[in-house]
Amino acid sequence: MITVNERNYDFRSGMTLLDILKTDAVDIHGAVLVTLNGSLISKEKYNETLLNDGDAVLAIKVVSGG
Amino acid sequence: MWSKLIVNMAEATVTKLPYDEEYLQLGGRALVANYFMDLVKTGKMDPKCDPMGEQNVLMFCTGVLAGTNFTTSYRISVGCKSPLTGGIKEASSGGYMGKLMADQGYRMITVHGLPQDGKLRYLHIDKEGNAELVDAEDLRLKGTYDVVDAMRERYGDGISVACIGPAGERLYKAASIQISEFGTLHPSRVAARGGVGALMGVKGLKAVVIEKPTIPYKVEYADEAMFREAAKELNAFIAGAAKVDPFHNFGTISTIEKTGANGILPVENFSGKLYKDYKKLGVEEFLGRLAARGGCNKKPCQPGCLVQCSNVYHDADGKYLTSGFEYETIALFGPNCRIDDLDKIAVMDRMCDDIGVDTIEMGTACGVAMDAGKLEWGDADGVIAMLEEMRQGVGFGPTLGDGCEAVGLALGAKRIPTVKHQAISGYDPRNTKGTGITYATCPQGADHTAALTMGRAFDDAGRTAQAYASNKLQVAICFSDSMMCLFAFSNVVPKMHLLANLMSGLYGGPVDITRVTIGLGVKTLLTERAFNKLAGFTDEDDKLPEFFLTERSAATGAVFDINPVEMEVLFDF
Ligand code: SF4
């Protein structure tokens, strides 16, 4: 099982971060930052980052400023 | 029963009195607006008075929910007639002071008069709640970090410190009041804007030091069960939302990931250009340095904060450099001055905190100085040298200390990004027009927290619904600034109706959200505007600098094209 923003998804061996982000309803266009188990992953690495069973992904959208 | 402290600097006395019944259901920004309007109504303050004269009052107050377990209810507000703008000022800050003030049973400290003997003093509230003014001559012109160290040596770690640095003592109009963070005691939370530190300086008050009380004050609830149920639901909701909140996960620096790409990030004194290297100051670089050098993020500046947007930033040798290192500082000392060295900007942040000066005024002032040819674009060492001159009170330093407008006027600059004499923050108003409307019309002067509409109006650079978005947000932020931290508030919106239960559970009366939205929101905004009018402000003061209306943003081609009529009806509630 993989979680994306706390929603559960089935884990498949060989699955990359980009695979799961593509399947998820989360909009990753614009200012979105993605963490894997709490660590920030840069956009260029989505396709080469292999997921493990139990991983937690967060797709965090920057909406406003501070 | 809550108390208040009246500090008389002319006679060097401190008096403890019961807190006023009529202010019980007010706090933070709403209390500041009402208190200062009441001073005018009762003839105690001429609204046109010299803000640095003896009629002006410096107020520290808590939010309306202080003393409870509702998250971020321990903000501190500093109120006065602003030495920078000449209008009403409420400068909101995090840090530990709000918690210890409430634990001591104080909702408000007001500082009156000017010292007759020219002496510097600090206000000390001990563990038993006794308050006195103490000689602070040994702290004269000390930086805020040294002040905190001295107080820690005297009273131990269980204290909060709100203090001024050399900027406040030198009466610079951009002087801030630095407030120590929870846990670390770093003086890096800031009542930054409007020159509140200059007023503290002219009053000869170096610091307010509060010890953790032996017996904390216990809040009386009208209906404790109702309050606790609502607070539990809201706290759980905010904690859940914080998990995907960029401010929790990365800090306010995450804002640059959005503004850098869409032309909202100010570049070269709000030239409207894009800054392609903004990622050098972005989240990845920032988090990488925190991790490699032993710094950290996800820090709470006050106890009980569930959003935890603060951070600790170390230098290349792994030594503490600064904390509460925020987007505004990075944007304005960064791309706005064409500087892309995060470590140098962190040095500037530390210097500003230590000298006790607003980083927004400083970043914009340096951008104007570069635009006018005083420094080269990107000259980080030149900026650091100028900040040092300001600390010492020599050379160009005193002009810089008076903020962006003073620097622009001194250098004959044409493009000065200020409204009501206060600098615009890290958002180009041509590309977030609702924010531009807020800058123009906010009674506080151009302000980064007063209603930043980015991401909230349909098209940030378009005209649709911008005035509507600014209006709604300005009201919401008035009540947020009276109750809680804005960054927690932005996660509360879907359950906002429960704020009525908090008010009712704490103070009794009907569960009615208009107590919040109208009572603390609309009324506050209108009271602030009425104060400013009495202080001499007119519609002419509700305008952006001309260059935003005539120069196109190179990033989007937009100018600030909101019709003045649209802005005039903004406050027609
Ligand atoms: S969200 Fe940030 S600024 Fe607000 S109280 Fe928490 S740590 Fe402080």
Side-chain angles (χ1 to χ4, degrees):
Chain A
M1 195 76 77
I2 306 281
T3 63
V4 180
N5 291 4
E6 301 196 311
R7 275 163 50 200
N8 295 333
Y9 293 84
D10 289 337
F11 169 73
R12 280 183 291 102
S13 155
M15 187 180 227
T16 68
L17 185 57
L18 186 63
D19 292 335
I20 194 79
L21 290 172
K22 269 184 176 168
T23 58
D24 189 69
V26 172
D27 174 11
I28 58 160
H29 299 293
V32 177
L33 299 158
V34 175
T35 66
L36 176 60
N37 302 323
S39 299
L40 183 72
I41 308 292
S42 54
K43 224 166 219 166
E44 308 80 66
K45 298 213 170 116
Y46 291 172
N47 200 22
E48 62 192 61
T49 303
L50 284 172
L51 296 180
N52 294 308
D53 201 5
D55 277 349
V57 176
L58 290 178
I60 299 158
K61 194 159 188 133
V62 182
V63 176
S64 196
Chain B
M1 186 197 277
W2 287 104
S3 303
K4 67 176 180 182
L5 274 184
I6 314 272
V7 182
N8 183 328
M9 297 309 294
E11 290 162 16
T13 57
V14 185
T15 312
K16 181 175 178 175
L17 292 173
Y19 185 57
D20 311 68
E21 186 67 29
E22 73 261 35
Y23 294 147
L24 195 59
Q25 297 186 37
L26 296 173
R29 190 162 161 188
L31 177 60
V32 169
N34 279 273
Y35 177 85
F36 281 87
M37 191 50 113
D38 287 349
L39 286 182
V40 171
K41 282 184 188 157
T42 53
K44 292 186 184 126
M45 178 191 263
D46 174 357
K48 291 196 169 81
C49 72
D50 174 6
M52 297 292 271
E54 63 180 20
Q55 278 188 25
N56 203 0
V57 176
L58 179 69
M59 176 205 266
F60 297 87
C61 68
T62 69
V64 71
L65 302 174
T68 74
N69 71 341
F70 178 55
T71 189
T72 75
S73 59
Y74 293 106
R75 295 285 292 184
I76 196 86
S77 288
V78 177
C80 62
K81 176 179 156 89
S82 165
L84 184 69
T85 71
I88 191 84
K89 175 53 63 185
E90 184 265 347
S92 172
S93 176
Y96 197 26
M97 184 183 188
K99 168 74 173 151
L100 290 194
M101 242 178 98
D103 281 356
Q104 288 273 7
Y106 293 115
R107 284 282 287 273
M108 178 165 96
I109 300 170
T110 52
V111 185
H112 305 252
L114 302 177
Q116 302 300 300
D117 56 7
K119 285 238 167 82
L120 197 61
R121 297 178 169 86
Y122 68 88
L123 174 68
H124 171 227
I125 305 176
D126 73 13
K127 290 186 177 71
E128 312 309 322
N130 305 305
E132 61 168 352
L133 284 169
V134 181
D135 187 292
E137 282 300 321
D138 58 326
L139 301 173
R140 200 170 271 282
L141 293 177
K142 289 262 190 272
T144 64
Y145 275 81
D146 282 349
V147 174
V148 168
D149 284 347
M151 292 304 145
R152 194 177 221 161
E153 219 162 86
R154 266 169 234 185
Y155 306 115
D157 288 340
I159 56 169
S160 71
V161 181
C163 63
I164 54 169
E169 285 185 62
R170 295 190 190 284
L171 314 184
Y172 294 156
K173 283 188 185 158
S176 58
I177 298 174
Q178 301 293 133
I179 295 174
S180 57
E181 279 208 324
F182 169 58
T184 64
L185 283 191
H186 297 137
S188 57
R189 308 314 300 185
V190 199
R193 310 228 63 198
V196 290
L199 181 58
M200 193 156 161
V202 80
K203 288 185 177 297
L205 186 65
K206 181 70 178 173
V208 176
V209 184
I210 308 178
E211 292 191 62
K212 192 173 174 179
T214 315
I215 304 167
Y217 176 78
K218 266 183 82 93
V219 172
E220 291 158 32
Y221 294 87
D223 182 342
E224 189 163 351
M226 182 200 279
F227 185 93
R228 291 206 179 277
E229 195 183 320
K232 193 174 167 195
E233 191 173 340
L234 281 165
N235 286 347
F237 189 76
I238 292 167
K243 286 184 190 155
V244 287
D245 183 335
F247 289 1
H248 168 69
N249 285 283
F250 315 116
T252 60
I253 192 172
S254 55
T255 305
I256 208 167
E257 304 288 337
K258 186 171 174 93
T259 60
N262 63 10
I264 292 176
L265 180 69
V267 179
E268 293 179 14
N269 189 28
F270 292 87
S271 68
K273 294 177 188 164
L274 272 174
Y275 193 69
K276 66 176 171 40
D277 287 336
Y278 72 87
K279 294 266 180 200
K280 284 190 187 167
L281 303 169
V283 168
E284 205 170 336
E285 191 60 43
F286 184 73
L287 291 186
R289 290 185 194 203
L290 295 191
R293 299 166 173 189
C296 60
N297 61 335
K298 299 188 183 177
K299 295 275 295 176
C301 78
Q302 61 165 286
C305 172
L306 297 163
V307 179
Q308 305 173 350
C309 76
S310 195
N311 53 58
V312 173
Y313 189 92
H314 288 185
D315 66 14
D317 298 327
K319 267 177 51 198
Y320 173 80
L321 181 52
T322 194
S323 53
F325 191 24
E326 307 287 352
Y327 166 76
E328 303 292 340
T329 308
I330 294 165
L332 293 164
F333 276 127
N336 193 51
C337 295
R338 198 158 264 288
I339 293 170
D340 59 14
D341 182 332
L342 202 51
D343 284 353
K344 288 266 168 75
I345 300 171
V347 168
M348 295 166 199
D349 185 54
R350 167 64 182 264
M351 288 180 81
C352 288
D353 284 351
D354 195 44
I355 298 166
V357 74
D358 176 13
T359 58
I360 294 177
E361 286 294 333
M362 292 302 102
T364 48
C366 290
V368 168
M370 288 175 179
D371 207 5
K374 170 133 185 88
L375 290 177
E376 294 291 315
W377 290 114
D379 183 2
D381 292 333
V383 169
I384 289 168
M386 229 158 54
L387 291 173
E388 193 49 45
E389 282 188 356
M390 183 176 63
R391 181 199 293 274
Q392 304 294 340
V394 299
F396 196 67
T399 307
L400 180 63
D402 279 343
C404 181
E405 188 170 277
V407 165
L409 293 175
L411 297 175
K414 296 268 178 305
R415 305 169 74 258
I416 307 175
T418 57
V419 179
K420 299 182 184 72
H421 317 293
Q422 183 172 284
I424 282 172
S425 59
Y427 309 86
D428 189 315
R430 286 165 293 201
N431 295 324
T432 166
K433 287 184 181 149
T435 306
I437 294 169
T438 305
Y439 285 157
T441 58
C442 174
Q444 302 286 335
D447 193 287
H448 67 301
T449 57
L452 180 56
T453 63
M454 185 180 80
R456 295 195 170 99
F458 298 108
D459 167 14
D460 286 316
R463 301 183 70 257
T464 310
Q466 301 286 355
Y468 177 83
S470 172
N471 168 293
K472 290 285 171 261
L473 260 180
Q474 286 199 56
V475 169
I477 283 162
C478 275
F479 63 77
S480 162
D481 282 349
S482 307
M483 306 180 98
M484 63 192 298
C485 177
L486 173 60
F487 300 158
F489 176 73
S490 53
N491 288 316
V492 131
V493 176
K495 294 211 176 256
M496 207 177 75
H497 59 281
L498 288 173
L499 295 176
N501 297 53
L502 295 183
M503 288 296 283
S504 203
L506 189 52
Y507 297 113
V511 181
D512 177 359
I513 194 62
T514 62
R515 289 172 71 178
V516 175
T517 54
I518 308 283
L520 300 175
V522 173
K523 279 190 182 164
T524 299
L525 201 51
L526 294 179
T527 305
E528 290 177 347
R529 284 179 66 81
F531 182 96
N532 279 1
K533 203 167 174 194
L534 293 169
F537 284 71
T538 68
D539 290 348
E540 283 304 298
D541 296 295
D542 285 352
K543 291 199 168 136
L544 282 186
E546 186 71 18
F547 72 91
F548 290 117
L549 281 62
T550 54
E551 292 179 18
R552 288 199 178 277
S553 159
T556 60
V559 289
F560 186 78
D561 53 0
I562 303 293
N563 189 318
V565 176
E566 288 174 81
M567 300 213 270
E568 269 167 35
V569 297
L570 201 64
F571 300 101
D572 191 9
F573 290 102

